[in-house]
Coordinates of all heavy atoms in Angstrom, one line a residue:
M1 N 4.6 -30.4 18.4 CA 5.5 -29.4 18.9 C 4.7 -28.2 19.5 O 3.7 -27.8 18.8 CB 6.4 -28.9 17.8 CG 7.6 -28.1 18.3 SD 8.5 -27.3 17.0 CE 8.7 -28.5 15.7
A2 N 5.1 -27.7 20.6 CA 4.3 -26.6 21.2 C 4.6 -25.3 20.5 O 5.7 -25.2 19.9 CB 4.7 -26.5 22.7
D3 N 3.7 -24.4 20.5 CA 3.9 -23.1 19.9 C 4.9 -22.3 20.6 O 5.1 -22.5 21.8 CB 2.6 -22.3 19.9 CG 1.5 -22.9 19.0 OD1 1.9 -23.6 18.0 OD2 0.3 -22.7 19.2
F4 N 5.6 -21.5 19.9 CA 6.6 -20.5 20.5 C 5.9 -19.6 21.5 O 4.8 -19.0 21.1 CB 7.3 -19.7 19.4 CG 8.0 -18.5 19.9 CD1 9.3 -18.7 20.5 CD2 7.6 -17.3 19.8 CE1 10.0 -17.7 21.0 CE2 8.3 -16.2 20.3 CZ 9.5 -16.4 20.9
S5 N 6.4 -19.5 22.7 CA 5.8 -18.6 23.7 C 6.9 -18.1 24.6 O 8.0 -18.6 24.6 CB 4.7 -19.4 24.5 OG 5.4 -20.4 25.2
V6 N 6.5 -17.0 25.3 CA 7.5 -16.4 26.2 C 6.9 -16.3 27.6 O 5.7 -16.3 27.7 CB 7.9 -15.0 25.7 CG1 8.7 -15.1 24.5 CG2 6.7 -14.1 25.5
T7 N 7.8 -16.3 28.6 CA 7.3 -16.1 30.0 C 7.5 -14.6 30.3 O 8.6 -14.1 30.3 CB 8.1 -17.0 31.0 OG1 8.0 -18.3 30.6 CG2 7.6 -16.8 32.4
L8 N 6.4 -14.0 30.7 CA 6.4 -12.5 31.0 C 6.9 -12.3 32.4 O 7.0 -13.3 33.2 CB 5.0 -12.0 30.9 CG 4.4 -12.1 29.5 CD1 2.9 -11.7 29.5 CD2 5.2 -11.3 28.5
P9 N 7.3 -11.1 32.8 CA 7.8 -10.8 34.2 C 6.8 -11.3 35.2 O 7.2 -11.6 36.3 CB 8.0 -9.3 34.2 CG 8.3 -9.0 32.7 CD 7.5 -9.9 31.9
S10 N 5.6 -11.2 34.9 CA 4.5 -11.6 35.9 C 4.5 -13.2 36.1 O 3.9 -13.6 37.0 CB 3.2 -11.2 35.4 OG 2.8 -11.9 34.2
G11 N 5.2 -13.9 35.2 CA 5.2 -15.3 35.3 C 4.2 -15.9 34.3 O 4.2 -17.1 34.1
A12 N 3.3 -15.1 33.8 CA 2.3 -15.6 32.8 C 3.0 -15.9 31.5 O 4.0 -15.4 31.1 CB 1.3 -14.5 32.6
T13 N 2.4 -16.9 30.8 CA 2.9 -17.3 29.5 C 2.2 -16.5 28.4 O 0.9 -16.4 28.5 CB 2.7 -18.8 29.3 OG1 3.5 -19.5 30.3 CG2 3.2 -19.2 27.9
W14 N 2.9 -16.0 27.4 CA 2.3 -15.3 26.3 C 2.7 -15.9 25.0 O 3.9 -16.2 24.8 CB 2.6 -13.8 26.4 CG 2.0 -13.1 25.3 CD1 0.6 -13.0 25.0 CD2 2.6 -12.3 24.3 NE1 0.4 -12.2 23.9 CE2 1.6 -11.8 23.4 CE3 4.0 -12.0 24.0 CZ2 1.9 -11.0 22.3 CZ3 4.2 -11.2 23.0 CH2 3.2 -10.7 22.1
T15 N 1.8 -16.3 24.2 CA 2.1 -16.8 22.9 C 1.8 -15.8 21.8 O 0.6 -15.5 21.5 CB 1.2 -18.1 22.6 OG1 1.4 -19.0 23.7 CG2 1.5 -18.7 21.3
P16 N 2.9 -15.2 21.2 CA 2.6 -14.2 20.2 C 2.0 -14.9 18.9 O 2.3 -16.1 18.6 CB 4.1 -13.8 19.8 CG 5.0 -14.3 20.8 CD 4.3 -15.5 21.5
T17 N 1.2 -14.2 18.3 CA 0.6 -14.7 17.0 C 1.0 -13.7 15.9 O 0.8 -12.5 16.0 CB -0.9 -15.0 17.1 OG1 -1.5 -13.7 17.4 CG2 -1.2 -16.1 18.0
F18 N 1.6 -14.3 14.9 CA 2.2 -13.5 13.8 C 1.3 -13.3 12.6 O 0.5 -14.2 12.3 CB 3.5 -14.1 13.4 CG 4.5 -14.3 14.5 CD1 4.5 -15.4 15.3 CD2 5.4 -13.2 14.8 CE1 5.4 -15.5 16.4 CE2 6.3 -13.3 15.9 CZ 6.3 -14.5 16.7
V19 N 1.4 -12.1 12.0 CA 0.5 -11.8 10.9 C 0.8 -12.8 9.7 O 1.9 -13.1 9.3 CB 0.7 -10.3 10.4 CG1 2.1 -10.1 9.8 CG2 -0.4 -9.9 9.5
Q20 N -0.4 -13.3 9.2 CA -0.3 -14.3 8.1 C -0.9 -13.7 6.8 O -0.5 -14.0 5.7 CB -1.1 -15.6 8.5 CG -0.6 -16.2 9.7 CD 0.8 -16.8 9.6 OE1 1.1 -17.5 8.7 NE2 1.7 -16.4 10.6
K21 N -2.0 -13.0 7.0 CA -2.8 -12.7 5.8 C -3.7 -11.5 6.1 O -4.2 -11.3 7.3 CB -3.7 -13.9 5.5 CG -4.4 -13.9 4.1 CD -5.0 -15.2 3.8 CE -5.8 -15.2 2.5 NZ -6.9 -14.4 2.6
I22 N -3.9 -10.6 5.1 CA -4.9 -9.5 5.2 C -5.9 -9.8 4.1 O -5.6 -10.0 2.9 CB -4.2 -8.2 5.0 CG1 -3.1 -8.0 6.1 CG2 -5.3 -7.1 5.0 CD1 -2.3 -6.7 5.8
N23 N -7.2 -9.7 4.4 CA -8.3 -10.0 3.5 C -8.5 -8.8 2.6 O -9.0 -7.7 3.1 CB -9.5 -10.4 4.2 CG -10.6 -10.8 3.3 OD1 -10.6 -10.5 2.1 ND2 -11.6 -11.6 3.8
E24 N -8.1 -8.8 1.3 CA -8.2 -7.7 0.5 C -9.6 -7.4 0.1 O -9.9 -6.3 -0.4 CB -7.3 -7.9 -0.8 CG -5.9 -8.0 -0.6 CD -5.0 -8.1 -1.8 OE1 -5.6 -8.4 -2.9 OE2 -3.8 -8.0 -1.7
D25 N -10.5 -8.4 0.2 CA -11.9 -8.1 -0.1 C -12.6 -7.2 0.9 O -13.4 -6.4 0.6 CB -12.7 -9.5 -0.2 CG -12.1 -10.3 -1.4 OD1 -11.7 -9.7 -2.4 OD2 -12.2 -11.5 -1.3
T26 N -12.2 -7.4 2.2 CA -12.8 -6.6 3.2 C -12.1 -5.3 3.6 O -12.7 -4.4 4.1 CB -13.0 -7.5 4.5 OG1 -11.8 -7.9 4.9 CG2 -14.0 -8.6 4.2
C27 N -10.8 -5.3 3.2 CA -10.0 -4.1 3.6 C -10.5 -2.8 2.9 O -10.7 -2.9 1.7 CB -8.5 -4.4 3.2 SG -7.4 -3.0 3.6
I28 N -10.6 -1.8 3.7 CA -11.0 -0.5 3.1 C -9.9 0.5 3.0 O -10.1 1.7 2.7 CB -12.2 0.1 3.9 CG1 -11.8 0.3 5.4 CG2 -13.4 -0.7 3.8 CD1 -12.8 1.0 6.3
G29 N -8.7 0.0 3.3 CA -7.5 0.9 3.1 C -7.4 2.1 4.1 O -6.9 3.1 3.7
C30 N -8.0 1.9 5.2 CA -8.1 3.1 6.2 C -6.8 3.4 6.8 O -6.6 4.6 7.3 CB -9.1 2.8 7.3 SG -8.6 1.5 8.4
G31 N -5.8 2.5 6.8 CA -4.5 2.8 7.3 C -4.3 2.7 8.8 O -3.3 3.0 9.4
R32 N -5.4 2.4 9.5 CA -5.3 2.3 11.0 C -4.2 1.3 11.5 O -3.5 1.5 12.4 CB -6.6 1.9 11.6 CG -7.6 3.0 11.5 CD -9.0 2.6 12.2 NE -10.0 3.4 11.5 CZ -11.3 3.3 11.9 NH1 -11.7 2.5 12.8 NH2 -12.2 4.1 11.3
C33 N -4.2 0.1 10.8 CA -3.3 -0.9 11.2 C -1.8 -0.4 10.9 O -0.9 -0.7 11.8 CB -3.5 -2.2 10.4 SG -3.6 -2.0 8.6
F34 N -1.6 0.3 9.8 CA -0.3 0.8 9.5 C 0.2 1.7 10.6 O 1.4 1.7 11.0 CB -0.4 1.6 8.2 CG 0.9 2.2 7.7 CD1 1.8 1.4 7.0 CD2 1.2 3.5 8.0 CE1 3.0 2.0 6.5 CE2 2.4 4.0 7.6 CZ 3.3 3.3 6.9
R35 N -0.7 2.5 11.1 CA -0.3 3.5 12.1 C 0.1 2.9 13.5 O 0.9 3.4 14.2 CB -1.4 4.6 12.3 CG -1.5 5.5 11.1 CD -2.3 6.8 11.4 NE -3.7 6.5 11.5 CZ -4.5 6.4 10.4 NH1 -4.1 6.6 9.2 NH2 -5.8 6.2 10.6
V36 N -0.5 1.8 13.8 CA -0.2 1.1 15.1 C 0.9 0.1 15.0 O 1.5 -0.2 16.0 CB -1.4 0.5 15.7 CG1 -2.5 1.5 16.0 CG2 -1.9 -0.7 14.9
C37 N 1.3 -0.3 13.8 CA 2.3 -1.3 13.8 C 3.7 -0.7 14.1 O 4.1 0.2 13.5 CB 2.4 -1.9 12.4 SG 3.8 -3.2 12.2
P38 N 4.3 -1.3 15.2 CA 5.6 -0.7 15.6 C 6.8 -1.2 14.8 O 7.9 -0.9 15.2 CB 5.7 -1.2 17.1 CG 5.0 -2.6 17.0 CD 3.9 -2.4 16.0
R39 N 6.6 -2.1 13.8 CA 7.7 -2.7 13.2 C 7.8 -2.5 11.7 O 8.7 -3.2 11.0 CB 7.6 -4.3 13.5 CG 7.6 -4.6 15.0 CD 9.0 -4.6 15.5 NE 9.8 -5.7 14.8 CZ 11.1 -5.8 14.9 NH1 11.8 -4.9 15.5 NH2 11.7 -6.8 14.2
G40 N 7.0 -1.7 11.1 CA 7.2 -1.4 9.7 C 6.9 -2.6 8.8 O 7.4 -2.8 7.8
V41 N 5.9 -3.5 9.3 CA 5.6 -4.7 8.5 C 4.7 -4.4 7.3 O 4.7 -5.1 6.3 CB 4.9 -5.7 9.5 CG1 4.4 -6.9 8.7 CG2 5.8 -6.1 10.6
L42 N 3.8 -3.4 7.5 CA 2.7 -3.2 6.6 C 3.0 -2.1 5.5 O 3.7 -1.2 5.7 CB 1.5 -2.8 7.4 CG 1.1 -3.8 8.5 CD1 0.1 -3.3 9.4 CD2 0.8 -5.2 7.9
E43 N 2.3 -2.2 4.4 CA 2.4 -1.2 3.3 C 1.1 -1.1 2.6 O 0.5 -2.1 2.2 CB 3.5 -1.7 2.3 CG 3.7 -0.7 1.3 CD 4.8 -1.1 0.3 OE1 5.3 -2.3 0.4 OE2 5.3 -0.3 -0.5
L44 N 0.7 0.2 2.4 CA -0.6 0.4 1.7 C -0.3 0.5 0.2 O 0.7 1.1 -0.3 CB -1.1 1.8 2.1 CG -2.6 2.1 1.7 CD1 -3.5 1.1 2.4 CD2 -2.9 3.5 2.1
V45 N -1.0 -0.3 -0.6 CA -0.9 -0.3 -2.1 C -2.2 -0.1 -2.7 O -3.3 -0.2 -2.1 CB -0.2 -1.6 -2.5 CG1 1.1 -1.9 -1.8 CG2 -1.2 -2.8 -2.4
G46 N -2.1 0.1 -4.1 CA -3.4 0.2 -4.8 C -3.7 -1.2 -5.4 O -2.8 -2.1 -5.5
L47 N -5.0 -1.4 -5.6 CA -5.4 -2.7 -6.2 C -6.1 -2.4 -7.5 O -7.1 -1.6 -7.5 CB -6.4 -3.4 -5.2 CG -6.7 -4.9 -5.4 CD1 -5.5 -5.7 -5.2 CD2 -7.8 -5.3 -4.5
D48 N -5.6 -2.9 -8.6 CA -6.2 -2.5 -9.9 C -7.3 -3.4 -10.3 O -7.6 -4.4 -9.6 CB -5.1 -2.3 -11.0 CG -4.5 -3.7 -11.4 OD1 -5.1 -4.7 -11.1 OD2 -3.5 -3.7 -12.1
E49 N -7.9 -3.2 -11.5 CA -9.0 -4.0 -11.9 C -8.7 -5.5 -12.0 O -9.6 -6.3 -11.8 CB -9.5 -3.5 -13.3 CG -10.2 -2.2 -13.3 CD -10.5 -1.7 -14.7 OE1 -10.0 -2.3 -15.7 OE2 -11.3 -0.7 -14.8
E50 N -7.5 -5.9 -12.3 CA -7.1 -7.3 -12.4 C -6.8 -7.9 -11.0 O -6.3 -9.0 -11.0 CB -6.0 -7.4 -13.4 CG -6.3 -7.4 -14.8 CD -6.5 -6.0 -15.3 OE1 -5.6 -5.1 -14.9 OE2 -7.4 -5.6 -16.0
G51 N -6.8 -7.1 -10.0 CA -6.5 -7.6 -8.7 C -5.0 -7.5 -8.4 O -4.5 -8.2 -7.5
E52 N -4.2 -6.8 -9.3 CA -2.8 -6.7 -9.1 C -2.5 -5.5 -8.2 O -3.2 -4.5 -8.2 CB -2.1 -6.5 -10.5 CG -2.3 -7.6 -11.5 CD -1.6 -8.9 -11.1 OE1 -0.5 -8.8 -10.5 OE2 -2.1 -9.9 -11.4
H53 N -1.4 -5.6 -7.5 CA -1.0 -4.5 -6.6 C -0.2 -3.5 -7.4 O 0.6 -3.8 -8.3 CB 0.0 -5.1 -5.5 CG -0.7 -5.9 -4.5 ND1 -0.1 -6.7 -3.6 CD2 -2.1 -6.2 -4.3 CE1 -1.0 -7.4 -2.9 NE2 -2.2 -7.1 -3.3
V54 N -0.5 -2.2 -7.1 CA 0.1 -1.1 -7.8 C 0.7 -0.2 -6.7 O 0.1 0.2 -5.7 CB -1.0 -0.3 -8.5 CG1 -0.3 0.9 -9.3 CG2 -1.8 -1.1 -9.5
A55 N 2.0 0.2 -6.9 CA 2.7 1.0 -5.9 C 2.0 2.4 -5.9 O 1.6 2.9 -7.0 CB 4.1 1.2 -6.2
L56 N 1.8 3.0 -4.7 CA 1.2 4.3 -4.6 C 2.4 5.3 -4.8 O 3.5 5.2 -4.3 CB 0.6 4.5 -3.3 CG -0.6 3.5 -3.0 CD1 -1.2 3.7 -1.6 CD2 -1.7 3.7 -4.1
A57 N 2.1 6.4 -5.5 CA 3.1 7.5 -5.7 C 3.5 8.2 -4.4 O 4.6 8.6 -4.3 CB 2.5 8.5 -6.7
G58 N 2.6 8.3 -3.5 CA 2.9 8.9 -2.2 C 2.8 10.4 -2.3 O 3.1 11.1 -1.3
D59 N 2.3 11.0 -3.4 CA 2.2 12.4 -3.4 C 0.7 12.9 -3.4 O 0.4 14.0 -3.7 CB 2.8 13.0 -4.7 CG 2.2 12.3 -6.0 OD1 1.3 11.5 -5.8 OD2 2.8 12.5 -7.0
D60 N -0.2 11.9 -3.0 CA -1.6 12.2 -2.9 C -2.3 12.6 -4.2 O -3.4 13.1 -4.2 CB -1.9 13.3 -1.8 CG -2.0 12.7 -0.5 OD1 -2.1 11.4 -0.4 OD2 -2.0 13.4 0.5
D61 N -1.6 12.3 -5.3 CA -2.2 12.6 -6.6 C -3.2 11.5 -6.9 O -2.9 10.3 -6.9 CB -1.1 12.5 -7.7 CG -0.8 13.9 -8.2 OD1 -1.4 14.8 -7.7 OD2 0.0 14.0 -9.1
E62 N -4.5 11.8 -7.0 CA -5.5 10.8 -7.3 C -5.4 10.5 -8.8 O -5.6 11.4 -9.6 CB -6.9 11.3 -6.9 CG -7.1 11.4 -5.4 CD -7.0 10.1 -4.7 OE1 -7.3 9.1 -5.3 OE2 -6.6 10.1 -3.5
D63 N -5.3 9.3 -9.1 CA -5.4 8.9 -10.5 C -6.2 7.6 -10.6 O -6.6 7.1 -9.6 CB -4.0 8.7 -11.2 CG -3.1 7.8 -10.4 OD1 -3.6 6.8 -9.9 OD2 -1.9 8.0 -10.4
D64 N -6.4 7.1 -11.8 CA -7.3 6.0 -12.0 C -6.5 4.7 -12.2 O -7.1 3.7 -12.8 CB -8.2 6.3 -13.2 CG -9.1 7.4 -12.9 OD1 -9.6 7.6 -11.8 OD2 -9.4 8.2 -13.9
E65 N -5.3 4.6 -11.7 CA -4.6 3.4 -12.0 C -5.0 2.2 -11.0 O -4.6 1.1 -11.2 CB -3.1 3.6 -11.8 CG -2.5 4.4 -13.0 CD -1.1 4.8 -12.8 OE1 -0.4 4.2 -12.0 OE2 -0.6 5.7 -13.5
Y66 N -5.7 2.5 -10.0 CA -6.2 1.5 -9.1 C -7.6 1.7 -8.7 O -8.1 2.8 -8.7 CB -5.3 1.4 -7.9 CG -5.1 2.7 -7.2 CD1 -6.0 3.0 -6.2 CD2 -4.0 3.5 -7.4 CE1 -5.8 4.2 -5.5 CE2 -3.9 4.7 -6.8 CZ -4.8 5.1 -5.8 OH -4.6 6.2 -5.1
E67 N -8.3 0.6 -8.3 CA -9.7 0.7 -7.9 C -9.9 1.1 -6.5 O -10.8 1.9 -6.2 CB -10.3 -0.7 -8.1 CG -10.3 -1.3 -9.5 CD -11.5 -0.7 -10.3 OE1 -12.6 -1.0 -10.0 OE2 -11.2 0.1 -11.2
K68 N -9.0 0.6 -5.6 CA -9.0 1.0 -4.2 C -7.7 0.7 -3.6 O -6.8 0.1 -4.2 CB -10.1 0.2 -3.5 CG -9.9 -1.3 -3.4 CD -10.9 -2.0 -2.4 CE -10.4 -3.4 -2.0 NZ -11.3 -3.9 -1.0
K69 N -7.5 1.2 -2.4 CA -6.3 1.0 -1.7 C -6.5 -0.2 -0.7 O -7.6 -0.3 -0.1 CB -5.9 2.2 -0.9 CG -5.5 3.4 -1.8 CD -5.2 4.6 -0.9 CE -4.9 5.8 -1.8 NZ -4.7 7.0 -1.0
V70 N -5.5 -1.0 -0.6 CA -5.5 -2.1 0.4 C -4.2 -2.2 1.2 O -3.2 -1.9 0.6 CB -5.8 -3.5 -0.3 CG1 -7.2 -3.6 -0.8 CG2 -4.8 -3.8 -1.3
M71 N -4.3 -2.7 2.4 CA -3.1 -2.9 3.1 C -2.5 -4.3 2.8 O -3.2 -5.3 2.5 CB -3.4 -2.9 4.7 CG -2.2 -2.7 5.5 SD -1.3 -1.1 5.2 CE -2.5 0.1 5.6
T72 N -1.1 -4.3 2.7 CA -0.4 -5.6 2.4 C 0.7 -5.8 3.4 O 1.1 -4.9 4.2 CB 0.2 -5.5 1.0 OG1 1.1 -4.4 1.0 CG2 -0.8 -5.4 -0.1
I73 N 1.2 -7.1 3.5 CA 2.3 -7.4 4.4 C 3.6 -7.3 3.6 O 3.8 -8.2 2.7 CB 2.1 -8.9 4.9 CG1 0.7 -9.0 5.6 CG2 3.2 -9.3 5.8 CD1 0.3 -10.4 5.9
A74 N 4.3 -6.3 3.8 CA 5.5 -6.0 3.0 C 6.7 -6.7 3.7 O 7.7 -7.1 3.0 CB 5.8 -4.5 2.9
H75 N 6.8 -6.8 5.0 CA 7.9 -7.4 5.7 C 7.4 -8.3 6.8 O 7.6 -7.9 8.0 CB 8.8 -6.2 6.2 CG 9.3 -5.3 5.2 ND1 10.3 -5.7 4.3 CD2 9.0 -4.1 4.8 CE1 10.6 -4.8 3.5 NE2 9.8 -3.7 3.7
Q76 N 6.9 -9.4 6.4 CA 6.4 -10.4 7.4 C 7.4 -10.8 8.4 O 7.1 -11.1 9.6 CB 5.8 -11.6 6.7 CG 5.0 -12.5 7.6 CD 4.3 -13.6 6.7 OE1 4.7 -13.9 5.6 NE2 3.2 -14.1 7.3
E77 N 8.7 -10.8 8.0 CA 9.8 -11.3 8.9 C 10.0 -10.4 10.0 O 10.7 -10.8 11.0 CB 11.1 -11.5 8.0 CG 11.8 -10.2 7.6 CD 11.2 -9.5 6.4 OE1 10.1 -9.9 5.9 OE2 11.7 -8.5 6.0
L78 N 9.5 -9.1 10.0 CA 9.7 -8.2 11.1 C 8.6 -8.2 12.1 O 8.7 -7.6 13.2 CB 9.8 -6.7 10.5 CG 11.0 -6.5 9.5 CD1 10.9 -5.0 9.0 CD2 12.3 -6.8 10.2
C79 N 7.6 -9.0 11.9 CA 6.4 -9.0 12.8 C 6.8 -9.6 14.1 O 7.5 -10.7 14.2 CB 5.3 -9.8 12.2 SG 3.8 -10.0 13.2
I80 N 6.4 -9.0 15.2 CA 6.7 -9.5 16.6 C 5.5 -10.2 17.2 O 5.5 -10.6 18.4 CB 7.3 -8.4 17.5 CG1 6.3 -7.2 17.6 CG2 8.7 -8.0 17.1 CD1 6.6 -6.2 18.7
G81 N 4.4 -10.2 16.4 CA 3.2 -11.0 16.9 C 2.4 -10.3 18.0 O 1.8 -10.9 18.8
C82 N 2.4 -8.9 18.0 CA 1.7 -8.2 19.0 C 0.2 -8.1 18.8 O -0.5 -7.8 19.7 CB 2.3 -6.7 19.1 SG 1.9 -5.7 17.7
T83 N -0.2 -8.3 17.6 CA -1.6 -8.3 17.1 C -2.3 -6.9 17.2 O -3.6 -6.8 17.2 CB -2.5 -9.4 17.8 OG1 -2.7 -9.1 19.2 CG2 -2.0 -10.7 17.6
A84 N -1.5 -5.8 17.4 CA -2.1 -4.5 17.5 C -2.9 -4.2 16.2 O -4.0 -3.6 16.2 CB -1.0 -3.4 17.7
C85 N -2.4 -4.7 15.1 CA -3.0 -4.4 13.8 C -4.4 -5.1 13.7 O -5.4 -4.4 13.3 CB -2.2 -5.0 12.7 SG -1.7 -6.7 12.9
A86 N -4.5 -6.3 14.2 CA -5.8 -7.0 14.2 C -6.8 -6.4 15.1 O -8.0 -6.3 14.8 CB -5.6 -8.5 14.5
R87 N -6.3 -5.9 16.3 CA -7.2 -5.3 17.2 C -7.8 -4.0 16.8 O -9.0 -3.7 17.1 CB -6.5 -5.2 18.6 CG -6.5 -6.5 19.4 CD -5.9 -6.4 20.7 NE -4.4 -6.5 20.6 CZ -3.5 -5.7 21.2 NH1 -4.0 -4.7 21.9 NH2 -2.3 -5.9 21.0
I88 N -7.1 -3.2 16.0 CA -7.6 -1.9 15.6 C -8.4 -2.0 14.3 O -9.1 -1.1 13.9 CB -6.4 -0.9 15.5 CG1 -7.0 0.5 15.7 CG2 -5.7 -1.0 14.2 CD1 -6.0 1.5 16.2
C89 N -8.2 -3.1 13.5 CA -8.9 -3.2 12.2 C -10.4 -3.2 12.4 O -10.9 -4.1 13.1 CB -8.4 -4.4 11.5 SG -9.2 -4.6 9.9
P90 N -11.1 -2.3 11.8 CA -12.6 -2.2 11.9 C -13.3 -3.3 11.1 O -14.5 -3.5 11.2 CB -12.9 -0.8 11.5 CG -11.9 -0.5 10.5 CD -10.6 -1.2 11.0
K91 N -12.6 -3.9 10.2 CA -13.2 -4.9 9.2 C -12.8 -6.3 9.5 O -13.1 -7.2 8.6 CB -12.9 -4.5 7.8 CG -13.2 -3.0 7.5 CD -14.7 -2.8 7.5 CE -15.4 -3.3 6.3 NZ -16.9 -3.0 6.4
K92 N -12.0 -6.6 10.5 CA -11.6 -7.9 10.8 C -10.9 -8.6 9.7 O -11.2 -9.7 9.3 CB -12.7 -8.8 11.3 CG -13.5 -8.2 12.5 CD -14.4 -9.2 13.2 CE -15.2 -8.6 14.3 NZ -14.6 -7.6 15.1
C93 N -9.9 -7.9 9.1 CA -9.2 -8.4 7.9 C -8.1 -9.4 8.2 O -7.6 -10.1 7.3 CB -8.6 -7.2 7.1 SG -9.8 -6.0 6.5
Y94 N -7.7 -9.4 9.4 CA -6.4 -10.1 9.7 C -6.5 -11.6 10.1 O -7.5 -12.0 10.8 CB -5.7 -9.4 10.9 CG -4.9 -8.2 10.4 CD1 -5.5 -6.9 10.3 CD2 -3.6 -8.3 10.0 CE1 -4.8 -5.9 9.8 CE2 -2.9 -7.3 9.5 CZ -3.5 -6.0 9.4 OH -2.8 -5.0 8.9
T95 N -5.6 -12.3 9.7 CA -5.3 -13.7 10.1 C -4.0 -13.8 10.8 O -3.0 -13.4 10.1 CB -5.4 -14.7 9.0 OG1 -6.7 -14.6 8.3 CG2 -5.3 -16.1 9.5
H96 N -3.9 -14.2 12.0 CA -2.6 -14.4 12.7 C -2.5 -15.8 13.1 O -3.5 -16.6 13.2 CB -2.6 -13.5 14.0 CG -2.3 -12.1 13.7 ND1 -3.1 -11.2 13.1 CD2 -1.2 -11.3 14.1 CE1 -2.6 -10.0 13.0 NE2 -1.5 -10.0 13.6
A97 N -1.2 -16.2 13.3 CA -1.0 -17.6 13.8 C 0.3 -17.7 14.7 O 1.2 -16.9 14.4 CB -0.8 -18.6 12.6
A98 N 0.3 -18.6 15.6 CA 1.5 -18.8 16.4 C 2.5 -19.4 15.6 O 2.3 -20.0 14.5 CB 1.1 -19.7 17.6
A99 N 3.8 -19.3 16.0 CA 4.9 -19.9 15.4 C 5.3 -21.2 16.0 O 5.1 -21.3 17.3 CB 6.1 -19.0 15.3
P100 N 5.8 -22.2 15.3 CA 6.2 -23.4 15.9 C 7.3 -23.1 17.0 O 8.2 -22.3 16.7 CB 6.8 -24.3 14.8 CG 6.3 -23.6 13.5 CD 6.0 -22.2 13.9
G101 N 7.3 -23.7 18.1 CA 8.3 -23.5 19.2 C 9.6 -24.1 18.9 O 9.8 -24.9 18.0
Ligands
SF4_201 S1 1.2 -8.2 14.9 FE1 2.2 -6.2 15.5 S2 4.2 -6.3 14.6 FE2 3.0 -7.8 13.5 S3 2.1 -6.7 11.7 FE3 0.6 -6.5 13.4 S4 1.1 -4.6 14.5 FE4 2.8 -5.1 13.2
SF4_202 S1 -7.2 -1.5 9.6 FE1 -8.2 -3.2 8.5 S2 -9.5 -2.1 7.0 FE2 -8.0 -0.6 7.7 S3 -6.3 -0.7 6.2 FE3 -5.8 -2.1 8.0 S4 -6.5 -4.1 7.2 FE4 -7.5 -2.5 5.9

């Protein structure tokens, strides 16, 4: 089966690739991807010693409940496959894939 693709006004074919995975080992929690995502797909969380995700309080209170911050995919179903997140990520954390057509 061919991948899902669209025909642009120019006549060119474009195949969106949708967010699949963010590498938590390489992510530095910089938030750049969050700021460029137009669809509210992403969410910054804490990563504790056991590798579990911890919700951030959002009040900038620094505490010791997590080792570092990492970006996560909170709403994968909202992704439109623009790949803006992958293009701005300085650590190449993203894996994207086309959808079945
Ligand atoms: S591909 Fe686009 S819509 Fe999907 S998560 Fe990345 S920036 Fe958001
Ligand atoms: S841009 Fe890359 S390194 Fe920065 S928070 Fe997003 S995934 Fe992590």
Side-chain angles (χ1 to χ4, degrees):
M1 198 191 312
D3 291 334
F4 168 75
S5 63
V6 292
T7 303
L8 300 174
S10 66
T13 299
W14 180 56
T15 303
T17 55
F18 299 90
V19 67
Q20 305 294 310
K21 193 169 176 293
I22 300 172
N23 186 337
E24 292 182 350
D25 295 332
T26 56
C27 178
I28 55 173
C30 68
R32 289 180 204 182
C33 53
F34 179 87
R35 289 194 287 277
V36 298
C37 178
R39 298 282 295 166
V41 174
L42 307 170
E43 183 178 11
L44 195 63
V45 303
L47 196 66
D48 71 12
E49 284 175 353
E50 282 82 42
E52 299 291 328
H53 291 168
V54 183
L56 299 178
D59 55 9
D60 274 349
D61 254 1
E62 290 297 331
D63 54 37
D64 293 326
E65 288 176 17
Y66 53 88
E67 297 281 291
K68 68 170 192 172
K69 295 176 185 175
V70 292
M71 199 59 66
T72 59
I73 303 167
H75 299 288
Q76 190 168 24
E77 74 282 4
L78 298 180
C79 178
I80 55 170
C82 68
T83 67
C85 52
R87 277 182 277 133
I88 205 156
C89 177
K91 304 296 282 182
K92 303 194 184 328
C93 299
Y94 277 89
T95 303
H96 282 64

